[in-house]
Amino acid sequence: MVTTDTQAAQLTLRAIILSILLTMILAAANAYLGLFAGLTVATAIPAAVISMAVLRVLGNSSILENNIVATGASAGSSIASGAIFTLPALILLGHWQRFDYWWVFAIVGLGGVLGVLLSVPLRRTLILEQKLQFPEGVATAEVLKAGENPGPGAKALGFAALTGAAFKFALSGLKLSPEAFTASRFLGERTIAFFGFNLSPALLAVGYIVGMNVGLLMLVGGALSWWVFIPVYSTFFGSHDPALVTSLAGASAEDAAFAIWNAKVRYIGVGAMLVGGLWSLWTLRKSLLSGVKSGLGAGSEKRADLPHTERDLPMPMVLTGIVLFVLPLFALYYAVLHAGNVASGAAIGIAFAMAIIMVIAGFVFSSVSGYMAGLVGSSNNPVSGMTISTILFVSLVLLGFLGSGSTVGPVAAIMVGAVICSAASVAGDNLQDLKAGQLVGATPWRQQVMLAIGAISGAAVMAPVLNLLLEAYGIGTPAREGVTALPAPQANLMASVAKGIFGGGLPWDMIALGAAVGVVVIVVDQALRARGSKWRAPILAVAVGLYLPLELSTPVFVGGVLAELADRWHARRNPGQDPEKLKQNGLLFAAGLIAGEAIIGVLIAVPIVISQDADVLAVAQSMRLGQWAGVAGLAVVGWWMFRHATPRRST
């Protein structure tokens, strides 16, 4: 491990170029995954493996140079999260017809760089003083330390990526099988029974990465929505909603279930998210103040007296940058309000207030994001819950300024949320990368510069990727007959919350029910904590399941089961060895499945857009195999992932 050599290669030109290329590719892949599944995954580990393989060929690579590549490339997943959780809401609100390049670049680029600046004061508190786990940072460091022989890891990653890509192409391109297995029926006159399972290797892999605990909680949330709340509502309350009754006339059981979920039940997830966000803030209230105090204290020390492994970006530069960021944010929000026919004087005051709120809320949620990344990892970081809380708060503030019925209010609230979401996502990833850097002897300020470069690079490709997916698949509603729209669950919720605050129509009874569910889950989680149980019940994991379609939660749960079985297999066969190291084979294979499926999902969109034909790649109807063939194929992929995670030789 490098600890004192300040001349070791880190921020080299080739590392920067490779990192930018990987950032753009991984940002596009995560944009698709997030719109499709409502989840994104950290990308530092696959980026590290690819970097080691590429730079090894070029010669004279170092562990610190590979770490820089992984640091910048990880910005792809965080920038994608900030964009896809929020900006599609502007399409759903009808404010945009397409994603404007410069608006998207400005919103997520400013948010991403702000996230880097806001996380600098937190490094000492969360990494050095509180010694949080930062599981993906530790795993990335272990991969980097094992980099003397990256060949097997790169080979496994590439093979898994080809497997995920081939499976996705067979189902979404050739359409050999439906993309989801579903079964539904009416029990009696109105009670709906429904089961869904998406045939996606990426979702299995997501479940493997997040593990059994989170996968089970997502399934619990999904089961509450689809097996409790929807049947209860259809049986006892559906007849009291004339508009819903009219829309369900003649509908199948599956269509009726989705209509009730869309109009009512998903808002239970909103209530649970709000409670979860507030609870996270309350539990972290002390660490927020200590982070600022510790960071400012470090900034007062002479940099020359610090070893290179302790040198962050200079604190005066960070604070000046944060203050200066108010100006472009003010201009951004003023342009939105002025375009919405708000009087210039009022627009100036409101825009200034929004910019100040954004910076304060950005620091608060960047702190929460960093803390949560330290506890549960970036892939499990509940940034969407923080963003929903922000949008609700900002909407209520703007309601006081603009009044009910304002059309520009929801748009402004979404844009504030987009900047905060981007900042919080990048802050969590930044601290994860800084943990890896600490373990391999990297220089923090070089990593922080690289992450800012990665954030800007990811922002540069977001609008073209989002427009491609919008035209090929559609967001919320299908772009054309024969395609399945990307559901963008978080953006749908955020659009509904922002619009509902200004226009009324929010089902507050459902939101209140979700808040009550959230309180119960928090009580259960605290009881498990008091008992010292290894199983926990974080409310935001349940909330994700509450507002996702059931077919997305079920494969995540199965992936979590496979991870638990693999862990138990290793506990029997390799007792006493480092569990994180034993997980690397499975994690790399899972990361490959996700990358392959997500990238091919973006590439398939190209011929669909060019031809304007959803079936341009599809085989003839007579050659299609039916949904059971897809189920069998996914079972083989799951078995393959498990076998790769549990090699029959001693690890």
Side-chain angles (χ1 to χ4, degrees), residues 99-113:
F99 293 93
D100 181 87
Y101 183 87
W102 291 111
W103 274 100
V104 172
F105 179 75
I107 291 169
V108 297
L110 285 171
V113 176

Side-chain angles (χ1 to χ4, degrees), residues 77 245 261 291 304 345 378 451 558 619:
S77 59
V245 169
W261 170 79
S378 297
L451 201 90
V558 172
V619 300

Side-chain angles (χ1 to χ4, degrees), residues 20-54:
I20 289 173
L21 291 174
L22 288 175
T23 294
M24 292 179 171
I25 294 169
L26 295 170
N30 259 301
Y32 172 83
L33 180 65
L35 290 173
F36 166 55
L39 297 165
T40 57
V41 294
T43 51
I45 292 175
V49 172
I50 294 170
S51 173
M52 288 187 292
V54 172

Side-chain angles (χ1 to χ4, degrees), residues 253-642:
E254 182 174 341
D255 289 342
F258 272 93
I260 294 172
W261 170 79
N262 185 62
K264 298 292 182 180
V265 170
R266 67 187 178 130
Y267 289 96
I268 298 174
V270 174
M273 276 286 184
L274 291 174
V275 168
L278 293 173
W279 176 249
S280 297
L281 284 176
W282 173 254
T283 56
L284 301 180
R285 63 194 184 281
K286 295 181 180 178
S287 69
L288 302 183
L289 295 175
S290 67
V292 178
K293 184 177 179 180
S294 178
L296 291 174
S300 65
E301 299 176 18
K302 292 182 179 179
R303 285 173 61 81
D305 296 335
L306 294 172
H308 80 98
T309 54
E310 293 299 321
R311 294 178 190 170
D312 292 290
L313 289 172
M315 192 57 60
M317 178 190 297
V318 171
L319 295 176
T320 301
I322 292 172
V323 171
L324 291 178
F325 259 69
V326 173
L327 300 177
L329 291 170
F330 165 78
L332 193 74
Y333 299 140
Y334 176 80
V336 173
L337 294 166
H338 187 67
N341 297 319
V342 178
S344 295
I348 290 173
I350 297 171
F352 183 74
M354 289 170 64
I356 296 299
I357 289 172
M358 207 293 311
V359 171
I360 295 172
F363 177 72
V364 169
F365 285 117
S366 292
S367 303
V368 175
S369 176
Y371 195 91
M372 294 300 292
L375 290 178
V376 298
S378 297
S379 298
N380 303 329
N381 201 351
V383 173
S384 58
M386 306 173 204
T387 309
I388 289 174
S389 301
T390 300
I391 288 175
L392 179 62
F393 172 73
V394 172
S395 295
L396 291 172
V397 171
L398 289 173
L399 182 66
F401 284 123
L402 301 173
S404 60
S406 170
T407 57
V408 73
V411 173
I414 293 296
M415 288 191 173
V416 173
V419 175
I420 289 175
C421 189
S422 299
S425 297
V426 169
D429 257 352
N430 190 12
L431 289 163
Q432 201 79 250
D433 297 325
L434 289 170
K435 176 64 177 181
Q438 180 213 15
L439 294 174
V440 301
T443 306
W445 75 261
R446 289 185 170 95
Q447 288 187 274
Q448 290 155 357
V449 169
M450 189 64 243
L451 201 90
I453 294 172
I456 294 171
S457 303
V461 299
M462 271 298 100
V465 170
L466 290 172
N467 279 323
L468 179 64
L469 297 175
L470 175 66
E471 293 181 30
Y473 303 110
I475 294 176
T477 56
R480 57 185 56 83
E481 187 177 353
V483 300
T484 301
L486 297 170
Q490 286 93 341
N492 258 297
L493 280 175
M494 292 175 192
S496 300
V497 169
K499 186 177 180 180
I501 293 293
F502 287 91
L506 272 182
W508 289 105
D509 54 344
M510 293 293 166
I511 293 174
L513 176 59
V517 171
V519 170
V520 171
V521 174
I522 287 170
V523 170
V524 171
D525 183 50
Q526 292 304 296
L528 291 172
R529 178 186 178 187
R531 292 176 54 190
S533 173
K534 74 168 187 174
W535 298 96
R536 296 294 299 276
I539 171 56
L540 290 165
V542 178
V544 168
L546 281 166
Y547 74 67
L548 281 179
L550 180 65
E551 67 185 52
L552 301 183
S553 297
T554 43
V556 172
F557 167 71
V558 172
V561 171
L562 292 176
E564 180 69 15
L565 293 175
D567 287 348
R568 295 187 179 188
W569 187 91
H570 281 297
R572 293 194 304 271
R573 297 286 291 270
N574 304 294
Q577 294 194 35
D578 182 4
E580 294 299 325
K581 189 172 182 179
L582 295 173
K583 290 178 180 179
Q584 285 182 15
N585 284 338
L587 290 176
L588 281 174
F589 196 90
L593 288 177
I594 292 168
E597 178 174 332
I599 291 170
I600 205 68
V602 175
L603 294 179
I604 288 173
V606 176
I608 293 175
V609 171
I610 293 173
S611 66
Q612 296 294 301
D613 180 7
D615 294 328
V616 63
L617 301 173
V619 300
Q621 190 71 38
S622 60
M623 298 175 63
R624 300 183 187 182
L625 303 176
Q627 64 181 10
W628 285 107
V631 172
L634 187 65
V636 171
V637 172
W639 173 82
W640 216 335
M641 180 169 66
F642 179 78

Side-chain angles (χ1 to χ4, degrees), residues 1-259:
M1 183 176 73
V2 180
T3 57
T4 59
D5 184 4
T6 61
Q7 302 304 313
Q10 295 191 52
L11 203 60
T12 63
L13 179 60
R14 66 179 188 176
I16 293 172
I17 293 173
L18 178 58
S19 185
I20 289 173
L21 291 174
L22 288 175
T23 294
M24 292 179 171
I25 294 169
L26 295 170
N30 259 301
Y32 172 83
L33 180 65
L35 290 173
F36 166 55
L39 297 165
T40 57
V41 294
T43 51
I45 292 175
V49 172
I50 294 170
S51 173
M52 288 187 292
V54 172
L55 294 185
R56 187 181 182 88
V57 172
L58 298 178
N60 298 320
S61 64
S62 72
I63 190 172
L64 299 184
E65 194 177 20
N66 288 315
N67 178 63
I68 282 290
V69 175
T71 295
S74 71
S77 59
S78 51
I79 282 295
S81 299
I84 58 94
F85 288 169
T86 54
L87 295 182
L90 299 176
I91 298 287
L92 298 169
L93 289 171
H95 180 70
W96 285 350
Q97 300 305 311
R98 290 172 53 81
F99 293 93
D100 181 87
Y101 183 87
W102 291 111
W103 274 100
V104 172
F105 179 75
I107 291 169
V108 297
L110 285 171
V113 176
L114 185 62
V116 176
L117 296 175
L118 292 172
S119 65
V120 171
L122 297 172
R123 186 185 73 87
R124 284 177 174 268
T125 294
L126 299 182
I127 293 178
L128 301 180
E129 295 175 7
Q130 296 200 17
K131 295 181 173 61
L132 297 179
Q133 183 182 10
F134 289 99
E136 286 145 342
V138 172
T140 301
E142 290 299 322
V143 169
L144 289 166
K145 290 176 184 177
E148 290 81 5
N149 184 24
K155 187 181 297 184
L157 191 71
F159 181 74
L162 289 175
T163 300
F167 200 96
K168 178 67 177 177
F169 183 73
L171 267 62
S172 297
L174 302 179
K175 299 195 173 179
L176 291 173
S177 169
E179 295 181 61
F181 175 90
T182 60
S184 60
R185 61 175 297 178
F186 284 106
L187 302 178
E189 294 185 6
R190 293 192 298 268
T191 305
I192 299 171
F194 174 81
F195 177 79
F197 194 103
N198 196 285
L199 305 179
S200 165
L203 291 176
L204 272 185
V206 167
Y208 189 93
I209 290 173
V210 302
M212 175 70 171
N213 196 167
V214 172
L216 176 61
L217 292 171
M218 286 183 62
L219 182 64
V220 167
L224 285 173
S225 284
W226 292 84
W227 299 340
V228 177
F229 295 132
I230 288 177
V232 168
Y233 192 88
S234 66
T235 303
F236 300 106
F237 303 101
S239 59
H240 302 303
D241 188 336
L244 190 60
V245 169
T246 301
S247 67
L248 295 182
S252 66
E254 182 174 341
D255 289 342
F258 272 93

